[in-house]
Amino acid sequence: MTGRSEFLPYARQLIEDDDIAAVSAVLRGDWLTTGPAVPRFEAALAARTKAPFAVACANGTAALHLAALALGLGPGDAVVVPTVTFLATANAARFVGAEVVFADVDPDSGLLTAATLAEALARNNGREIRAVFPVHLNGQSCDMAEIAALARRAGCKIVEDACHALGTAYGGRGDDAALVGECRHAELAAFSFHAVKAIAMGEGGAVTARDPALAERVARFRSHGMVREGDRIENASLARAADGSANPWYYEMPEIGYNYRATDIQCALGLSQLAKLDRFAAARRDLVAAYDAALAPLAPLVRPIARRADCAPVWHLYAVLIDFERAGADRATVMRRLAERGIGTQVHYIPVHKQPYYRRRYGDLALPGADRYYARCLSLPFFAAMTQDDARRVAAALAAALGRDRQEAA
Ligand SMILES: Cc1ncc(COP(=O)(O)O)c(C=O)c1O
């Protein structure tokens, strides 16, 4: 738990003794990588997301790249990516040589919507748009049913960037609800278990899938594209001994892949953390309620991001929208004032189309929803070990940083 004087970062992991014990057991065991912890973590993740298949990998960026590879995206193809996301979502398309069509987002939630997707699909500049990568920003899911209906009509495959949204449910209640990662409306979903995510593996990621062939491709590209047996083997005479038995050392590489494997060390930590996801999620939900209440007096200057009605998020970040102009203080000043009070904040994200690499490639794009979201967003400290008192302390410090503390007390 955090004390009053302790610095509150915008996010951090919660590692407990049993997590350390789980990792220590691996370090004392026979396998540091490609051992039994990997399939155990994959099975637990598949069960938790209700996905038939889960493939663990090195990080969320690798997960997105593997998804793009597994779908066979490449040069000549284009992928719609919402511009309010981390660089990795767009970069995964570029890694395979596909072009990115940046979509606008809802100005108040930062999410891709059916309307912003439709606009992006109409702006394809003659390239064939073959996929859409919706991003479940902050832990909140996009409206996947609407997005998928539109994407399917346009002949697109779907990869959910679920890096923020492990455990998030949407589109109904109880058993009717879909879980992010079960791929009800997507071919594949990509997760990150980076240290600041809802569960931490240090670095870590996974791809979930429904289709066994796609899951097999993800797993193959994760390890250099190698196959060892079965009907993918092309050089049967090299693969088999004279008596027809398989040569035990033999492998082939029908398509090129990468080393994107997750280690047993990572997966042991992931397994231990995954078992706590419900507890971490409840702590995050309680913090959201505490923040909402504590920040309410600052409205309309400060508002939480817009919440989607049919979504039950496992929140990754607590982002607010601040009218800096009206406050008479710019974002850097507010962040500095908060840092002086021991409070870390962050901006998620600079719209990716503004990056020099993408501006050189696609020119200046007008995406006004993203501009509005970016101009106002600020992520406040948010992690499972925070207390509700911490959230109230942040809210009071934000009021002071915006020059509204006296007004609030009045
Ligand atoms: C939305 C989103 N996509 C992709 C990634 C990439 O994940 P990783 O950092 O595990 O490579 C992140 C991680 O920060 C992310 O937030």
Side-chain angles (χ1 to χ4, degrees):
M1 298 299 107
T2 50
R4 258 213 150 241
S5 56
E6 209 172 309
F7 184 80
L8 291 170
Y10 85 88
R12 63 161 293 147
Q13 71 279 11
L14 173 50
I15 299 294
E16 299 168 319
D17 287 348
D18 56 345
D19 299 313
I20 294 167
V23 172
S24 299
V26 170
L27 293 174
R28 290 198 178 88
D30 295 330
W31 300 86
L32 293 185
T33 193
T34 324
V38 180
R40 282 179 60 212
F41 174 67
E42 291 174 337
L45 183 66
R48 185 61 182 78
T49 57
K50 293 196 195 156
F53 302 97
V55 181
C57 63
N59 53 58
T61 307
L64 287 160
H65 187 187
L66 287 168
L69 288 164
L71 290 179
L73 301 174
D77 299 332
V79 177
V80 174
V81 175
T83 189
V84 175
T85 185
F86 185 53
L87 303 169
T89 325
N91 291 355
R94 294 295 306 130
F95 293 164
V96 296
E99 302 297 338
V100 179
V101 177
F102 285 106
D104 206 359
V105 298
D106 178 88
D108 296 325
S109 69
L111 293 170
L112 180 74
T113 67
T116 62
L117 174 59
E119 189 278 327
L121 289 170
R123 195 168 19 92
N124 63 356
N125 296 332
R127 292 165 304 205
E128 191 182 352
I129 299 186
R130 285 200 51 217
V132 180
F133 292 0
V135 177
H136 301 312
L137 194 70
N138 298 314
Q140 221 174 188
S141 67
C142 304
D143 187 335
M144 284 307 298
E146 276 199 7
I147 284 172
L150 200 58
R152 299 308 188 202
R153 277 203 297 280
C156 292
K157 307 277 190 208
I158 300 172
V159 176
E160 293 172 72
D161 183 334
C163 291
H164 287 194
L166 176 64
T168 292
Y170 63 92
R173 298 206 173 273
D175 287 347
D176 289 344
L179 275 173
V180 165
E182 79 169 73
C183 298
R184 195 178 289 189
H185 299 291
E187 271 67 35
L188 298 164
F191 289 94
S192 165
F193 309 115
H194 177 269
V196 299
K197 299 295 194 291
I199 69 162
M201 282 166 64
E203 300 279 355
V207 181
T208 56
R210 270 176 186 244
D211 176 357
L214 273 180
E216 188 274 332
R217 281 174 68 78
V218 170
R220 184 148 42 89
F221 288 121
R222 170 180 65 175
S223 199
H224 302 282
M226 283 174 9
V227 291
R228 289 188 180 278
E229 55 201 21
D231 51 12
R232 294 197 169 274
I233 293 292
E234 292 173 27
N235 292 317
S237 62
L238 293 177
R240 302 205 164 272
D243 66 1
S245 62
N247 287 328
W249 68 86
Y250 191 74
Y251 55 83
E252 274 182 9
M253 190 188 80
E255 289 172 278
I256 195 161
Y258 297 80
N259 177 357
Y260 279 164
R261 293 185 297 266
T263 65
D264 276 50
I265 303 168
Q266 289 170 292
C267 288
L269 183 55
L271 251 177
S272 177
Q273 289 261 300
L274 189 57
K276 306 169 186 199
L277 177 62
D278 290 341
R279 171 159 60 90
F280 289 175
R284 287 169 178 270
R285 247 192 330 271
D286 291 348
L287 273 179
V288 166
Y291 262 132
D292 285 354
L295 291 170
L298 290 178
L301 200 61
V302 179
R303 282 188 297 141
I305 55 162
R307 310 272 165 81
R308 284 210 331 102
D310 81 334
C311 175
V314 172
W315 291 103
H316 163 48
L317 296 168
Y318 187 86
V320 289
L321 302 175
I322 300 178
D323 188 339
F324 291 102
E325 220 168 280
R326 187 165 168 171
D330 64 19
R331 181 160 50 196
T333 303
V334 172
M335 290 176 80
R336 201 183 55 246
R337 287 175 182 163
L338 287 169
E340 284 162 6
R341 289 170 168 82
I343 290 162
T345 52
Q346 192 48 279
V347 175
H348 297 95
Y349 292 96
I350 303 165
V352 182
H353 74 277
K354 293 185 188 289
Q355 293 298 337
Y357 172 86
Y358 286 110
R359 282 183 64 202
R360 276 198 293 277
R361 201 163 185 89
Y362 304 125
D364 285 324
L365 304 174
L367 298 172
D371 286 342
R372 283 236 353 103
Y373 186 83
Y374 172 58
R376 296 175 297 155
C377 67
L378 191 67
S379 299
L380 304 181
F382 192 65
F383 47 94
M386 256 178 80
T387 64
Q388 301 195 14
D389 275 349
D390 289 329
R392 287 187 276 272
R393 176 188 141 200
V394 174
L398 181 60
L402 293 168
R404 295 304 193 272
D405 41 346
R406 264 162 289 135
Q407 197 172 305
E408 190 195 5

